[in-house]
DNA sequence: CGTCATCGAGATCAAAAAGGTATTGGACGC
DNA sequence: GCGTCCAATACCTTTTTGATCTCGATGACG
């Protein structure tokens, strides 16, 4: 049907993207965790997992707190676009038949 | 950051979309399962879960085999677009810094 | 400086989700 | 009708995800 979509999309999940965007927006894991209604350690792990899948770090770890890397800022834009795309499709589907 | 992306994207996963697209392309659960390297029952269940999340059926069950509903055809297009989008972002990220 | 509060990461356990095998129920071909 | 094909169901195992507790590190403040 398309050319680019063949094979598995690694193990990246929409949830990881949502988690990442929340942390990126808050620039703060603990606050993002509260917002997402999950506890902080699992959130940290999902971010690490995403970094592993992407092969490069999204955040710099400072002694206290974290800061987006340049790649992290770039990827945050892309991730947000994907989530918006998905949300739009979902909203559209709930209105079916349109 | 955006207007449309607020709240959880239900429980839909990229894997479900991949599974669904495979079944839609094959119009055949068992063949899709072989292609995806999973067994047929889990695949059937993921399709059902996706239908539950969307709130409407993607396939008509005939005595032998399945057929896409009209909504299923519509959604297959959307799902493929999402997967292509994700794959493009992933490919782009692997080339970083570009 | 030294103490304390803050923050993310690690370890461990419990819960939930996904996958596999075996089997059933239903429909089409002959 | 009988055998075959196909998706669905039942049941169990394995993997993944989440929660709690804790540690290590680093700033803030006196």
């Amino acid at each position: 049907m398309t050319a680019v979509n063949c094979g598995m999309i690694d193990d990246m999940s929409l949830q990881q993207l949502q988690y990442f965007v929340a942390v990126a927006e808050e620039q703060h894991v603990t606050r993002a965790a509260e917002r997402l209604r999950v506890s902080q350690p699992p959130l940290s792990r999902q971010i690490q997992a995403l970094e592993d899948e992407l092969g490069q770090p999204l955040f710099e770890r400072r002694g206290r707190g974290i800061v987006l890397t340049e790649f992290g800022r770039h990827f945050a834009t892309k991730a947000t676009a994907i989530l918006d795309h998905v949300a739009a499709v979902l909203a559209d589907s709930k209105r079916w038949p349109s």
Side-chain angles (χ1 to χ4, degrees), chain A:
Chain A
M1 205 163 183
T2 64
V4 56
N5 176 38
C6 25
M8 284 288 123
I9 293 184
D10 296 298
D11 295 310
M12 193 174 72
S13 68
L14 291 176
Q15 197 188 49
Q16 279 178 333
L17 296 185
Q18 293 175 131
Y19 281 7
F20 165 63
V21 168
V23 175
E25 286 178 358
E26 299 284 346
Q27 295 264 349
H28 196 289
V29 177
T30 302
R31 268 200 305 274
E34 289 168 5
R35 202 176 105 188
L36 293 165
R37 310 289 202 136
V38 290
S39 44
Q40 170 263 316
L43 182 54
S44 286
R45 269 184 311 178
Q46 290 295 337
I47 298 298
Q48 292 179 66
L50 183 57
E51 289 177 318
D52 287 348
E53 288 152 18
L54 294 172
Q56 50 194 316
L58 294 162
F59 296 95
E60 271 181 55
R61 273 73 176 177
R62 303 268 163 97
R64 189 145 56 162
I66 56 175
V67 183
L68 276 170
T69 61
E70 192 184 341
F71 173 69
R73 282 194 298 277
H74 172 257
F75 190 75
T77 305
K78 304 283 197 172
T80 302
I82 290 173
L83 294 177
D84 286 350
H85 186 177
V86 171
V89 167
L90 235 42
D92 175 78
S93 296
K94 302 231 165 128
R95 278 194 295 273
W96 187 269
S98 58

